[in-house]
Amino acid sequence: MDGTYAKAFAFFPKGQMTMGKLRDIYQQYSNEHPLNFPDILMADAHETLTKLKAEKLKLALASSSPLDYIDQVLKSCKLEGYFDKVISGELFKKNKPDPEVYQKAIVALEVLPKECLVVEDSKIGITAGKAAKAKVVGLNSFAVQDRSQADVQIAKLSELPELVTQLNKLPTPLRLNYQDKELVLVPVAHVSKYSALLAKQTIEEEKPDSICIELDADRMKSLEDKNSWEKTD
């Protein structure tokens, strides 16, 4: 929300508008033009969250919106039972793209950053998730946003359970020492956006001197055609 407020400053002469005033204007407009949240909820939201909870995954909602607004949305859309933790950006001095809201959510879930998957549809949200050291999924939505910095992108929310399943199946890289250098072998079952994420994750976390992705000739050929393997399941 603060990202939207920040853009609004461009419409006012310098010094004539503050963040507080903008929030008041927005709140007044919201009161006069209330949204029917169930009407704008993603059609696959309940199905997706139900599948994720069935897998015993910990879920947190980390939003830059005020807590009373978040509660209103959750209750009106009947989503309050899905999330183990709800974190509002209003609790912190800095909001997205600052990573604090995600850092607090990670601590609240009692997990490690590398064990987390952040789902975001905005550029500043993706920046915040990456800064929190989590893996970030860029979700396509009605808003036109640059999501190129996300680790992987999905077209709709219902793709998320399968993505989580595939990521959990990724093999553990093999670490080797050869001629005073640390090498990492990534055993890839098939060329896809998931195996590409594994290779990227290995480079970031293991920081090896060299990395090798085990591919046969046909897979190497398909890897050279980036457009074909990025869209592969």
Side-chain angles (χ1 to χ4, degrees):
M1 190 72 75
D2 280 355
T4 302
Y5 292 142
K7 292 179 182 178
F9 277 111
F11 294 97
F12 298 93
K14 187 175 181 180
Q16 291 190 12
M17 183 55 65
T18 66
M19 188 70 80
K21 288 181 181 179
L22 278 175
R23 287 196 179 97
D24 291 341
I25 293 171
Y26 174 78
Q27 188 60 55
Q28 181 179 348
Y29 180 86
S30 298
N31 292 338
E32 295 173 355
H33 304 82
L35 287 173
N36 185 11
F37 297 115
D39 286 347
I40 59 176
L41 180 68
M42 290 183 177
D44 50 0
H46 280 280
E47 177 187 359
T48 299
L49 290 169
T50 298
K51 288 182 178 180
L52 294 175
K53 290 300 288 184
E55 294 297 322
K56 309 299 183 184
L57 297 173
K58 294 181 178 180
L59 302 181
L61 176 61
S63 171
S64 57
S65 299
L67 189 58
D68 58 350
Y69 181 87
I70 296 173
D71 288 340
Q72 183 183 355
V73 173
L74 291 177
K75 290 177 181 177
S76 62
C77 294
K78 296 181 171 53
L79 295 172
E80 60 264 55
Y82 289 110
F83 297 100
D84 301 288
K85 302 292 179 180
V86 176
I87 311 292
S88 167
E90 71 175 356
L91 302 175
F92 314 112
K93 292 182 178 180
K94 294 182 179 180
N95 217 321
K96 300 175 185 178
D98 188 271
E100 189 172 13
V101 65
Y102 280 126
Q103 291 170 337
K104 294 298 183 182
I106 290 170
V107 171
L109 289 176
E110 299 181 334
V111 293
L112 298 175
K114 66 180 182 180
E115 297 173 322
C116 292
L117 200 62
V118 168
V119 181
E120 269 287 356
D121 67 348
S122 71
K123 181 179 179 179
I124 63 170
I126 291 170
T127 300
K130 297 287 288 182
K133 307 301 182 183
K135 292 293 174 287
V136 181
V137 177
L139 172 64
N140 186 32
S141 69
F142 62 88
V144 178
Q145 292 277 341
D146 176 12
R147 305 181 182 92
S148 60
Q149 296 306 306
D151 293 291
V152 64
Q153 297 188 46
I154 57 178
K156 50 188 178 180
L157 200 60
S158 57
E159 296 178 37
L160 190 58
E162 177 61 21
L163 171 61
V164 172
T165 298
Q166 292 298 325
L167 291 177
N168 285 335
K169 288 181 179 178
L170 290 177
T172 302
L174 177 64
R175 303 179 65 172
L176 304 170
N177 289 314
Y178 178 71
Q179 295 184 351
D180 297 326
K181 289 187 176 182
E182 184 181 49
L183 309 179
V184 175
L185 177 66
V186 181
V188 177
H190 63 284
V191 180
S192 72
K193 55 190 175 184
Y194 306 127
S195 54
L197 180 57
L198 172 63
K200 183 177 180 181
Q201 175 178 307
T202 301
I203 293 172
E204 292 176 351
E205 295 182 1
E206 303 287 346
K207 293 181 173 56
D209 295 305
S210 180
I211 184 168
C212 173
I213 302 177
E214 184 183 18
L215 299 169
D216 58 29
D218 290 337
R219 290 170 180 160
M220 181 62 73
K221 183 178 179 180
S222 66
L223 180 60
E224 292 170 358
D225 182 2
K226 185 177 180 181
N227 291 329
S228 68
W229 67 263
E230 274 195 335
K231 298 176 182 178
T232 303
D233 290 333

